């Protein structure tokens, strides 16, 4: 094997490291299951009223946490999508555009525009089909993340193509093209969660831990970086047919206030936009704990897509559970709406301890200098394993 071939194989191996669930391995020291001498639990019934509501799933939920890393397949697929769009909007349109008359130019632009909208519809259709397949166990979490990231990238390409078409309309007297609503609909696929997945796929940063939940009618993607970021979609809340449940944009804005009362009571700024061509109402609000972005569907009058970016350290604690023994003390703070949880590991003298933490066998990381770690918990009860330098602590956390 020559050196060039060896280098290529090495590169492919590096870029094939995609969302792989990694089981927590045993510690080097004594293995033992903590038999708690005492368990205390405190619940704050008012905590849910001190933060934002979140779009939830219904029915049976499949949940998995994975580490998503460098992914050559997604990078190559994105390049292919861009080339296909370039062919539609540049090769076909430019080939005869300069020599065509006004009517012919209009027809060419209309045809390219329709092709782009068809491609945009494909994003929605394949995403919904992939989520349904994942919920049924027919698609892996890796494959689902690859698809939503592909949609993230292709949405940007299609939006750029619409800009290109819009520029061409300036060369057609008396002709205009409505692209803003279509671009805003494409922007639903461009989320902070997917942006972090894109960085991980391109090898810009280390693998990103993301929690995926799916049901027959929707999904959520959640991760913790500098903030807790969560996106959710309910396909059953989308009815793109013409006609709106809302009288006007003010009516939609007021209904958003009913859906997210804490957000609007504590808002720093808020606004709404109506996208008539796609029958959506775009609601945005910043508040004391972060930001909300929601799309209300005109046909159903309900939230179709939602993105929330929250400071997890500012979220209220709904339930605090403490397990203690002669040697260790574990404190688990859970936030409302199955939000992020904080685990603190200390010894009997309340000194912070370094420990590796796993949830349902997946290693989520190591506690920091204060003995704490934040993570997104599963929707159902789960197994929590904490491995210190001399002991392995295993607990079942109920939901």
């Amino acid at each position: 094997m020559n050196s060039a071939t060896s280098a290529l194989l090495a590169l492919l191996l590096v870029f094939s490291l995609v969302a792989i669930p990694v089981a927590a391995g045993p510690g080097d020291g004594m293995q033992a299951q903590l038999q708690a001498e005492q368990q205390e639990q405190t619940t704050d019934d008012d905590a849910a009223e001190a933060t934002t509501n979140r779009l939830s799933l219904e029915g049976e939920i499949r949940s998995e946490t994975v580490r998503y890393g460098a992914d050559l397949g997604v990078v190559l697929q994105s390049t292919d999508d861009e080339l296909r769009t370039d062919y539609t909007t540049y090769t076909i349109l430019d080939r005869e555009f300069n020599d065509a008359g006004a009517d012919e130019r209009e027809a060419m632009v209309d045809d390219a525009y329709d092709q782009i909208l068809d491609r945009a519809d494909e994003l929605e259709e394949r995403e919904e089909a992939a989520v349904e397949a994942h919920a049924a166990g027919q698609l892996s979490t890796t494959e689902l993340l690859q698809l939503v990231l592909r949609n993230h990238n292709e949405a940007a390409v299609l939006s750029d193509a619409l800009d290109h078409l819009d520029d061409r309309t300036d060369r057609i007297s008396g002709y205009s093209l409505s692209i803003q609503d279509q671009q805003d609909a494409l922007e639903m696929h461009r989320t902070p969660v997917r942006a972090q997945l894109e960085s991980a796929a391109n090898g810009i940063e280390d693998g990103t831990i993301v929690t995926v939940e799916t049901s027959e009618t929707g999904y959520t993607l959640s991760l913790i970086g500098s903030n807790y970021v969560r996106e959710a979609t309910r396909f059953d809340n989308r009815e793109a047919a013409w006609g709106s449940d809302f009288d006007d944009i003010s009516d939609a804005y007021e209904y958003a206030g009913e859906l997210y009362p804490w957000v609007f009571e504590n808002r720093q700024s808020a606004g709404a936009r109506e996208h008539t061509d796609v029958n959506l109402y775009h609601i945005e609000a910043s508040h004391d704990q972060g930001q909300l972005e929601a799309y209300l569907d005109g046909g159903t009058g309900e939230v179709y897509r939602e993105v929330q970016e929250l400071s997890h350290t500012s979220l209220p604690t709904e339930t605090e559970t403490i397990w203690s023994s002669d040697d260790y003390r574990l404190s688990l703070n859970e936030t409302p709406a199955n939000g992020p949880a904080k685990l603190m590991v200390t010894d009997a003298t309340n000194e912070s301890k370094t420990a590796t933490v796993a949830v349902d066998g997946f290693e989520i990381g190591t506690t920091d200098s204060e003995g704490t770690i934040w993570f997104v918990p599963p929707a159902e009860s789960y197994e929590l394993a904490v491995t210190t330098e001399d002991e392995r602590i295993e607990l079942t956390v109920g939901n």
Side-chain angles (χ1 to χ4, degrees):
M1 182 181 294
N2 60 40
S3 60
T5 302
S6 300
L8 177 58
L9 288 175
L11 178 63
L12 290 176
L13 285 172
V14 170
F15 279 104
S16 65
L17 299 175
V18 296
I20 304 174
V22 182
D28 295 330
M30 179 180 65
Q31 300 301 306
Q33 180 171 354
L34 175 66
Q35 299 298 322
E37 296 176 356
Q38 181 178 6
Q39 177 179 334
E40 301 175 3
Q41 189 172 80
T42 304
T43 300
D44 182 356
D45 294 331
D46 297 325
E49 306 298 326
T51 188
T52 171
N53 291 337
R54 291 160 216 168
L55 182 62
S56 60
L57 303 182
E58 292 185 352
E60 186 175 348
I61 297 174
R62 177 185 174 186
S63 176
E64 186 176 13
T65 298
V66 297
R67 185 184 299 275
Y68 190 81
D71 192 343
L72 182 61
V74 169
V75 175
L76 294 177
Q77 184 63 65
S78 298
T79 301
D80 177 65
D81 290 334
E82 186 168 3
L83 289 173
R84 287 200 298 142
T85 303
D86 285 349
Y87 180 78
T88 298
T89 59
Y90 294 96
T91 307
I92 295 177
L93 194 59
D94 287 352
R95 188 169 52 202
E96 300 174 354
F97 189 85
N98 291 334
D99 297 329
D103 291 342
E104 293 173 310
R105 288 183 174 183
E106 287 186 23
M108 294 170 67
V109 170
D110 286 342
D111 182 59
Y113 181 68
D114 288 340
Q115 290 187 52
I116 293 172
L117 295 192
D118 287 342
R119 291 276 300 281
D121 288 340
E122 288 177 16
L123 304 189
E124 301 280 348
E125 293 166 2
R126 70 189 182 205
E127 191 165 289
E128 184 172 0
V131 167
E132 185 176 347
H134 182 270
Q138 300 167 358
L139 191 73
S140 71
T141 300
T142 298
E143 292 170 320
L144 178 60
L145 290 175
Q146 288 174 331
L147 185 137
V148 297
L149 182 53
R150 177 186 173 188
N151 278 4
H152 169 85
N153 291 327
E154 189 171 354
V157 173
L158 294 175
S159 185
D160 288 342
L162 287 172
D163 278 331
H164 177 76
L165 286 185
D166 193 40
D167 289 341
R168 290 306 175 90
T169 63
D170 294 338
R171 299 168 59 183
I172 305 174
S173 178
Y175 179 84
S176 63
L177 193 65
S178 175
I179 68 168
Q180 188 60 58
D181 284 356
Q182 302 297 341
Q183 286 183 318
D184 285 336
L186 287 168
E187 196 63 24
M188 291 189 299
H189 298 282
R190 306 278 299 170
T191 69
V193 172
R194 300 183 193 204
Q196 292 195 45
L197 293 177
E198 181 181 32
S199 295
N202 286 302
I204 298 175
E205 58 184 40
D206 294 336
T208 295
I209 294 178
V210 56
T211 297
V212 179
E213 295 181 349
T214 58
S215 69
E216 287 186 354
T217 58
Y219 72 89
T220 68
L221 304 177
S222 307
L223 57 82
I224 297 178
S226 56
N227 288 312
Y228 168 60
V229 188
R230 179 183 186 270
E231 69 170 89
T233 294
R234 285 283 300 273
F235 297 110
D236 56 331
N237 285 349
R238 177 65 166 153
E239 186 179 307
W242 189 254
S244 177
D245 240 23
F246 302 108
D247 296 333
D248 51 30
I249 186 66
S250 296
D251 188 25
Y253 182 81
E254 289 177 5
Y255 183 58
E258 296 176 15
L259 294 174
Y260 305 97
W262 184 90
V263 168
F264 280 79
E265 289 169 5
N266 296 272
R267 67 184 182 275
Q268 297 168 356
S269 63
R273 287 176 290 168
E274 181 177 2
H275 304 310
T276 307
D277 289 349
V278 291
N279 204 16
L280 290 170
Y281 298 83
H282 186 189
I283 310 296
E284 293 180 290
S286 62
H287 52 82
D288 296 343
Q289 295 173 358
Q291 296 180 337
L292 163 72
E293 186 173 11
Y295 289 85
L296 301 181
D297 178 75
T300 64
E302 300 300 336
V303 178
Y304 168 46
R305 289 182 183 260
E306 173 194 278
V307 175
Q308 301 217 40
E309 187 166 356
L310 303 169
S311 171
H312 48 281
T313 58
S314 67
L315 296 177
T317 297
E318 184 173 52
T319 302
E320 180 182 23
T321 306
I322 298 174
W323 296 269
S324 58
S325 69
D326 289 339
D327 301 317
Y328 290 98
R329 183 178 187 272
L330 272 60
S331 175
L332 180 66
N333 289 357
E334 298 171 292
T335 61
N338 206 48
K342 182 179 75 170
L343 177 69
M344 176 176 290
V345 181
T346 60
D347 63 15
T349 64
N350 208 32
E351 181 180 349
S352 62
K353 301 297 291 184
T354 299
T356 300
V357 181
V359 174
D360 282 341
F362 175 80
E363 186 177 306
I364 60 172
T366 303
T367 56
D368 59 20
S369 60
E370 297 180 348
T372 65
I373 186 171
W374 283 88
F375 64 95
V376 178
E380 306 296 336
S381 62
Y382 59 93
E383 299 302 316
L384 181 66
V386 179
T387 304
T388 66
E389 59 183 5
D390 57 9
E391 189 171 3
R392 180 179 175 86
I393 303 165
E394 297 178 349
L395 299 166
T396 299
V397 180
N399 188 298

